[in-house]
Amino acid sequence: MKIYYHPLQMLHKPLSYFSRGKMRQPQEKPERMEAFLQAVEKSAYGLSEVSDFGITPITNVHDLGYVHFLKTAYQEWQDLPEDMGEEVQTSVYVPDDSNPLIGVMAKAARYLADGSSPIGEHTWTSVYWSAQTSLTAAQGLLDGEQQSICLTRPAGHHARKDRAGGFCYLNNAAIAAEHLRSKYAKVAIIDTDMHHGQGIQEIFYERDDVLYASVHGSPVNFYPVVAGHENERGRGRGFMYNHNFPMPHGSSEQVFMDNVDKALEVVRTFEPDVVVHVLGFDVYVDDPQAKCAVSTQGFTELAAKIRSLNVPTMVLVEGGYLVEKLEDNLDAFIQGFAQPQA
Ligand SMILES: [Zn+2]
């Protein structure tokens, strides 16, 4: 098993975000990654290097104008003469084509979906290497690897084709899935983060070659709020290739595991060639984002369930905000996921 990580992902350091009616202190901070690295250090696995696949696999999923915005917005923002905040943020939202995109504030109104994905000086660098980390693991599966874990930051599953949101900028799962499609006919994405990955859902909603199955907290009054219900099943060719398993808030570990089993059953029926697992540690009982109660031991059980698919699998570590438990929880996952060493 390989564990992929690129150090430039540490540079992204959001200063604040706006959610549920108030400005908040960032939960998605570099210290999270330090905790994950400690778990790897005490495991039997080293870190594998990340390669640079360039921009094309990114723009195969994302709108070019959006990618250009992510790359250039901070500098344009800094060049404004007004009294601007340190990070690119917006309080104006005009996502449709009536927005002529003149000026960085108009672009922010177009390309930022909510108040939780500010763009700072190093955001693009970290976002880019987060996507490359995911692509390196995808390439590993193309080359015959059976298992890998990606330490990615910022996360990706809320990023849409042309909009950042929910701490996410580029959709690493979708970018990996699209890259995997260069060889494999059928890719399944299983998402067990606390939140529904509406970005992944939206990108593949009309496709039958990439299945999306998500277990998450009910989106009623919980991010992403406007997507993640059971009756969102895909459209056209993609109908029934999108499966949502929302859990009531306050669900037990057993309810989480039962829903994971249901999601895995759908994945098995699809008979994928490869699997991308979006892993969120924000389902952990004491996580500030948790709406269910998974224990540390529960991550070993979750990992064993994913492994039981017996299909080449890459794992993207995404959510998880209780920094002091991230090391233990990743360690628990690795124990359940890794095939016994030969
Ligand atoms: Zn999450």
Side-chain angles (χ1 to χ4, degrees):
M1 184 181 75
K2 295 257 178 84
I3 299 179
Y4 292 103
Y5 164 73
H6 197 288
L8 288 176
Q9 296 178 105
M10 285 288 202
L11 296 180
H12 172 59
K13 199 171 183 181
L15 301 175
S16 64
Y17 75 106
F18 183 67
S19 172
R20 288 170 285 140
K22 63 178 188 180
M23 294 305 296
R24 295 169 190 270
Q25 287 298 310
Q27 297 180 340
E28 204 295 275
K29 45 193 181 185
E31 290 83 351
R32 298 175 58 246
M33 190 58 91
E34 286 164 13
F36 291 138
L37 290 172
Q38 279 166 14
V40 176
E41 202 163 293
K42 75 178 189 193
S43 77
Y45 305 92
L47 293 170
S48 295
E49 273 190 28
V50 166
S51 306
D52 188 353
F53 292 82
I55 205 74
T56 305
I58 293 172
T59 53
N60 283 344
V61 167
H62 290 282
D63 179 282
L64 183 64
Y66 170 60
V67 171
H68 186 69
F69 165 77
L70 291 178
K71 197 173 172 180
T72 59
Y74 180 78
Q75 197 50 55
E76 272 192 66
W77 190 261
Q78 294 306 310
D79 292 344
L80 292 177
E82 311 296 332
D83 174 28
M84 308 299 284
E86 169 66 17
E87 304 174 300
V88 179
Q89 267 287 21
T90 189
S91 49
V92 178
Y93 295 93
V94 183
D96 59 54
D97 292 343
S98 69
N99 178 350
L101 301 177
I102 299 169
V104 66
M105 289 182 70
K107 292 176 200 165
R110 170 69 180 82
Y111 295 128
L112 297 179
D114 56 49
S116 55
S117 295
I119 299 173
E121 185 176 6
H122 302 297
T123 299
W124 169 251
T125 300
S126 294
V127 161
Y128 180 83
W129 286 105
S130 183
Q132 299 301 335
T133 303
S134 173
L135 280 162
T136 303
Q139 185 61 45
L141 294 189
L142 291 172
D143 294 341
E145 269 171 38
Q146 293 299 301
Q147 290 191 306
S148 57
I149 294 177
C150 296
L151 304 180
T152 51
R153 144 166 222 281
H157 74 155
H158 296 306
R160 291 149 68 183
K161 184 177 190 297
D162 54 3
R163 304 188 81 191
F167 312 154
C168 299
Y169 303 82
L170 292 178
N171 200 308
N172 293 332
I175 290 167
E178 198 68 65
H179 192 61
L180 289 163
R181 281 285 294 110
S182 64
K183 174 175 171 184
Y184 296 112
K186 296 202 284 185
V187 179
I189 303 174
I190 178 162
D191 187 340
T192 62
D193 187 274
M194 190 69 248
H195 305 86
H196 178 248
Q198 92 283 29
I200 303 172
Q201 168 171 300
E202 187 177 290
I203 289 164
F204 297 113
Y205 207 58
E206 299 189 28
R207 287 179 46 178
D208 59 4
D209 54 337
V210 180
L211 176 117
Y212 180 60
S214 176
V215 175
H216 50 269
S218 162
V220 178
N221 296 324
F222 183 60
Y223 197 85
V225 183
V226 293
H229 295 284
E230 211 168 350
N231 63 352
E232 296 158 24
R233 296 193 165 104
R235 189 184 302 123
R237 288 175 69 94
F239 185 62
M240 294 309 280
Y241 290 83
N242 191 89
H243 294 265
N244 290 327
F245 300 92
M247 300 177 287
H249 298 176
S251 286
S252 66
E253 179 166 289
Q254 192 57 52
V255 168
F256 173 79
M257 295 299 173
D258 290 348
N259 278 282
V260 170
D261 287 340
K262 285 185 208 165
L264 289 177
E265 202 44 54
V266 169
V267 171
R268 283 195 181 90
T269 304
F270 179 62
E271 293 186 354
D273 299 305
V274 275
V275 167
V276 178
H277 175 210
V278 177
L279 169 63
F281 290 107
D282 43 4
V283 293
Y284 178 66
V285 55
D286 292 327
D287 192 281
Q289 298 273 348
K291 297 290 182 195
C292 67
V294 174
S295 64
T296 294
Q297 187 59 33
F299 291 107
T300 306
E301 187 181 342
L302 169 65
K305 286 179 187 293
I306 300 289
R307 196 181 77 175
S308 75
L309 287 169
N310 206 19
V311 173
T313 299
M314 57 176 281
V315 178
L316 291 167
V317 175
E318 299 224 336
Y321 305 99
L322 185 66
V323 174
E324 58 265 37
K325 289 301 292 183
L326 293 177
E327 178 185 341
D328 288 351
N329 289 344
L330 177 59
D331 177 54
F333 185 87
I334 289 172
Q335 287 179 35
F337 184 62
Q339 304 283 5
Q341 299 278 37

